Every structure is written in C-alpha cells, then in structure tokens.
Amino acid sequence: MSDKNISSYSRERHRALLLLVATAILWSLGGLLIKSVNSNPLAIAGTRSAIATVVLLLVRRKPKFTWSFAQIGAALAYAATTILFVTATKLTTAANAIFLQSTAPIYVALLSAWLLKEKIKLADWITVMIVMSGMILFFLDNLSTTGIVGNLIAATSGISFALFAIFMRMQKDGSPLESIILGNLLTAAIGLPFLAHSVPDSSGWVCLAILGVVQLGIPYILYSKAIVHVTALEAILIPVIEPLLNPVWVFLMLGEAPGPLALLGGLVVLVAITIRCVLAALPSKVLILHKNA
C-alpha cells in the first residue's frame, strides 16, 4: 500500500469514528422522546420508521435491493431491534431498556469471529468487559426489578442489535443503507396499523417527527457510511456513548441528576472507548512513520 493510500485509509477511518459518535448522540434522544409520546409502542415504532423511510429515500433515491442474505438479515434484525426497544422503553424504565440493549457488544464479540472471520483480539475482550462494568456502575442506582417483561424484551433487543451490526458489516463492500430502508419499511408495515387505535396528541406528533427525522433517519445515514470503514465490534462499542447521554437529556429537561456511581460508570466507559479507538488507529500511524523513515 502506498503512502497516499495509507493516509487516505487513515482519514476515512477517523472520519468513520466521528460519524459513529454523532450517530450515538442523535440516538440518545430516543428514550426521552419515546416516553413523551402517548401511544402504543408498535404504533410509535411504525410511525417513526415510516417518517425515517422518507428521510432515507431522499438521500438514496434509487435504492439497490440485492435481496442478499446479508441485506435481508440486516433488515430483519433492524426491524426487530426497533420494535423491541420501543416496546421495552414503554414497559420498563428508559435506563433499563438502553442498558439491557447495550449488552450487544458481548454478542458481537462472540459472533463476529464466526460469521465475519474477524479476529477478536485480547484488547477487544478487555474493552468489552470494561465497558460492561462501566455500564453496570452507570445504571446501578436506577436498575429496578420491576417491569420484568420489559427487561426481557430489552435484553432480546441487545441480541438483535448485535446481529444487525454483523449483517451490516457483511455489506462493507456494498451499500448497507438499503438494509436500513427495508428494515424501516418492515417496521412501518407492522406498526402503522396499531396507530388507528392509538392516535397521539399534538405534542406526541411533534416528538414522532423528531424521532423519525433526527433520532432515526439522519443517524442511520451516518451509521451506514461509517460501518464500511470500521470493524463490527467498533460499530457496536462506540455507540455505547448513547446510553451515557440519555440521563444527560433527562437532567437537562427534567432536572434529574445522576448519582456518583453513574458518573463513575460514565467515566469508565468513555475512557475505555477512547483508548480502544486510539489503539485501533496506532497501526496505520506506525506504518506511515515506518514508510517515511
């Protein structure tokens, strides 16, 4: 690989990591907005996805559906993740829902070596364990034993989110955005019929519009661009920033401050992710320096 190609690869990789961070920030609005809509969870999921589909089609006006195993698999996993997460957020606390979904890195680490033939290094396993330890600390004050059904649904969404990341990574040489479009169409088809019996009020419609455009449509465009330049594990680890920000929005809007354990957990996760990204960027930097020597 020439110096120019190495430099270009490094820039694309760093840009992809930044896109993932932006994605996580926009995703983090989900809990607060979903809680603010007085409607059936399936109706919320379907309406949000219908709006997001319009946004996505404005970007990809002529989507190319290959109907490949990876494209269909990602679409099904996406629809499952969306429906399960919205339902869990309504049935249990937002903190429980996002925490249990955030177990996805464990499943990615276990499955990516098998499905993607991506080597999982010791540093990856250590990062996964540190991240999960930080997440436990972060929500220790808020994790309740109520809403068992909601908790189980949220945990299942962690598995589906992991599968979504893996199937998206399988399309690194293709166009993964089509899977997201298909997933939103499927979610809309499942959820919209429930809207007839659970129509939200005016403020609910505003929240649904924000959910569809800002919290779902735009971030998934960013996610689909980033996924082709990062590993599946990075694609699931960096968005862990999302559940850290959820309580921040709650604090800003409702005045609910996180406890000391939550602050410690947030610091642990952020440090772990930062170190992991720095280490991931080191090989290309070292290679560039070696080439120029």
Side-chain angles (χ1 to χ4, degrees), residues 233-245:
L233 192 60
E234 289 167 341
I236 205 76
L237 274 177
I238 295 173
V240 167
I241 296 171
E242 173 196 356
L244 302 182
L245 291 178

Side-chain angles (χ1 to χ4, degrees), residues 10-275:
S10 180
R11 285 196 302 271
E12 287 293 335
R13 182 173 175 75
H14 293 160
R15 179 172 175 268
L17 295 176
L18 289 175
L19 289 179
L20 284 180
V21 172
T23 297
I25 293 172
L26 296 178
W27 275 343
S28 70
L29 300 172
L32 183 61
L33 292 169
I34 290 170
K35 289 283 189 183
S36 301
V37 181
N38 57 333
S39 183
N40 180 280
L42 287 173
I44 295 173
T47 305
R48 181 178 73 154
S49 285
I51 295 171
T53 300
V54 176
V55 176
L56 294 170
L57 289 176
L58 287 175
V59 174
R60 184 59 55 84
R61 299 190 178 186
K62 295 182 179 180
K64 297 178 182 179
F65 300 117
T66 62
W67 307 108
S68 65
F69 172 75
Q71 189 176 83
I72 295 174
L76 291 172
Y78 175 93
T81 300
T82 299
I83 292 172
L84 290 170
F85 177 71
V86 173
T87 303
T89 301
K90 281 293 189 180
L91 293 179
T92 186
T93 65
N96 285 22
I98 196 66
F99 166 64
L100 291 170
Q101 187 189 66
S102 297
T103 56
I106 294 176
Y107 306 117
V108 171
L110 293 173
L111 296 173
S112 61
W114 172 43
L115 294 175
L116 299 178
K117 310 303 180 185
E118 290 182 352
K119 185 178 180 181
I120 306 300
K121 301 177 183 178
L122 178 60
D124 295 326
W125 286 109
I126 293 174
T127 303
V128 168
M129 297 310 297
I130 293 175
V131 165
M132 297 314 299
S133 298
M135 293 294 295
I136 291 172
L137 285 172
F138 195 87
F139 292 112
L140 195 59
D141 293 333
N142 297 320
L143 193 59
S144 68
T145 56
T146 60
I148 296 177
V149 174
N151 289 346
L152 290 174
I153 292 174
T156 305
S157 74
I159 299 174
S160 62
F161 190 32
L163 288 171
F164 170 69
I166 289 174
F167 283 126
M168 287 288 280
R169 178 60 179 167
M170 285 182 179
Q171 303 174 73
K172 63 181 180 179
D173 297 322
S175 179
L177 188 60
E178 276 75 6
S179 287
I180 299 173
I181 294 173
L182 283 175
N184 276 305
L185 286 172
L186 178 59
T187 305
I190 294 171
L192 282 177
F194 291 87
L195 188 63
H197 304 287
S198 185
V199 180
D201 56 21
S202 56
S203 63
W205 279 110
V206 172
C207 290
L208 282 171
I210 297 173
L211 279 167
V213 178
V214 178
Q215 194 268 330
L216 199 65
I218 293 175
Y220 269 110
I221 292 171
L222 301 181
Y223 186 84
S224 66
K225 290 180 179 296
I227 195 71
V228 298
H229 298 293
V230 297
T231 67
L233 192 60
E234 289 167 341
I236 205 76
L237 274 177
I238 295 173
V240 167
I241 296 171
E242 173 196 356
L244 302 182
L245 291 178
N246 253 318
V248 173
W249 305 136
V250 174
F251 171 72
L252 292 176
M253 299 299 294
L254 304 177
E256 183 181 277
L261 286 179
L263 292 175
L264 177 60
L267 179 62
V268 169
V269 173
L270 288 175
V271 170
I273 291 174
T274 301
I275 292 176

